[in-house]
Amino acid sequence: MEIKDVRFSYSPDVSLIEHFSLSVKPGQRVAIVGPTGCGKTTLINLLMRFYDVDSGEIMVDGNDIMNLTRSSLRKNYGMVLQETWLKKGTVADNIRMGKPGATDDEVIAAAKAAHAHSFIKRLPQGYGTKIAEEGGNLSQGQRQLLCIARVMLALPPMLILDEATSSIDTRTEAKIQEAFYAMMEGRTSFVVAHRLSTIRDADVIIVMRDGHIVEQGNHAELLARDGFYAQLYNSQFAP
């Protein structure tokens, strides 16, 4: 993926993303960090074409995404967001949304890869358990593991992950992180990071503040620069 001199703002008189360029090699992991409300989601929305850039280009496999249909572009991405989305139906139906023709064995393999199989087996009807509207009969952690299993089944070439797990117990959070790492293996990934400890090994870290990209580099480079990223990191790990 190539992002070339991209500019975007919601309002003509308020500048936001300006002169943003980034080259992402296949399989690289890109982390997007910054305080709440700084614009991390805006960047994701541009990648997915929920909004179009004001100027510049975002290229996927040499194609300007403005020349692709939104549906064909989004087939390249698997998304796991903080807000999970489940439909009425069985657990298996919800996982199978990632690949409608998948066999039962494929569904189970995806659930195992997402560390979801063990809790699914404990449900009243296992994979045949009916899910209430928006997954109301499951915990937040269980809903997120099902969404990860759905992406594991489809295994698209690129991933967008919001690794917010603030209201999930530590054991489930560890399972979600393991599932994320397995899923990212060999795939280009964009991770909206909340806990900076989880993205120290990212290939590129994009640091945002007040809607602007203020720093860009890897963990060691950004700490050495002793700028805004170093402030954020040290504030999370202060003794």
Side-chain angles (χ1 to χ4, degrees):
M1 173 183 283
E2 290 280 341
I3 300 172
K4 300 179 180 177
D5 199 27
V6 159
R7 183 183 165 281
F8 173 79
S9 65
Y10 294 103
S11 166
D13 53 344
V14 181
S15 65
L16 196 58
I17 292 172
E18 295 180 300
H19 305 299
F20 174 45
S21 296
L22 178 68
S23 180
V24 184
K25 297 184 180 71
Q28 282 194 321
R29 191 180 312 173
V30 178
I32 306 165
V33 308
T36 302
C38 69
K40 299 187 290 289
T41 304
T42 300
L43 205 49
I44 296 302
N45 286 339
L46 292 176
L47 296 178
M48 301 284 291
R49 274 198 74 194
F50 290 116
Y51 296 105
D52 287 333
V53 301
D54 294 331
S55 63
E57 296 174 315
I58 299 176
M59 313 282 288
V60 173
D61 290 335
N63 299 304
D64 187 335
I65 64 171
M66 296 293 283
N67 298 327
L68 303 174
T69 64
R70 285 178 168 82
S71 61
S72 66
L73 171 67
R74 289 169 193 166
K75 281 177 185 165
N76 288 296
Y77 288 104
M79 294 181 73
V80 180
L81 304 181
Q82 190 172 2
E83 290 299 317
T84 55
W85 185 79
L86 299 173
K87 66 172 187 175
K88 268 186 164 178
T90 66
V91 167
D93 291 339
N94 272 275
I95 297 174
R96 204 173 259 116
M97 284 169 66
K99 185 181 175 185
T103 65
D104 289 347
D105 286 346
E106 287 175 316
V107 168
I108 292 167
K112 285 179 176 175
H115 298 272
H117 180 71
S118 57
F119 95 75
I120 293 170
K121 293 299 285 180
R122 291 195 299 272
L123 294 174
Q125 283 84 44
Y127 285 83
T129 302
K130 289 265 196 299
I131 291 180
E133 192 73 45
E134 295 299 322
N137 51 339
L138 299 175
S139 72
Q140 186 181 347
Q142 289 171 334
R143 293 197 297 269
Q144 198 162 28
L145 289 172
L146 283 190
C147 291
I148 293 171
R150 183 190 293 162
V151 176
M152 282 289 203
L153 185 60
L155 283 182
M158 294 188 288
L159 300 169
I160 291 175
L161 308 175
D162 186 335
E163 51 105 83
T165 49
S166 54
S167 55
I168 293 170
D169 67 87
T170 308
R171 190 159 166 268
T172 305
E173 182 180 12
K175 285 185 178 179
I176 289 170
Q177 288 298 341
E178 282 178 44
F180 276 164
Y181 282 124
M183 197 163 47
M184 287 188 285
E185 192 66 42
R187 283 179 182 78
T188 306
S189 309
F190 294 86
V191 182
V192 177
H194 301 260
R195 299 188 185 179
L196 301 187
S197 59
T198 63
I199 50 90
R200 281 182 290 212
D201 56 349
D203 297 291
V204 182
I205 300 170
I206 296 166
V207 188
M208 300 194 72
R209 184 181 197 176
D210 300 328
H212 295 85
I213 294 156
V214 293
E215 292 178 310
Q216 193 173 310
N218 64 33
H219 175 73
E221 290 166 352
L222 291 172
L223 277 189
R225 205 170 292 165
D226 201 23
F228 188 54
Y229 176 81
Q231 282 179 37
L232 290 174
Y233 188 81
N234 291 330
S235 71
Q236 286 195 8
F237 297 96

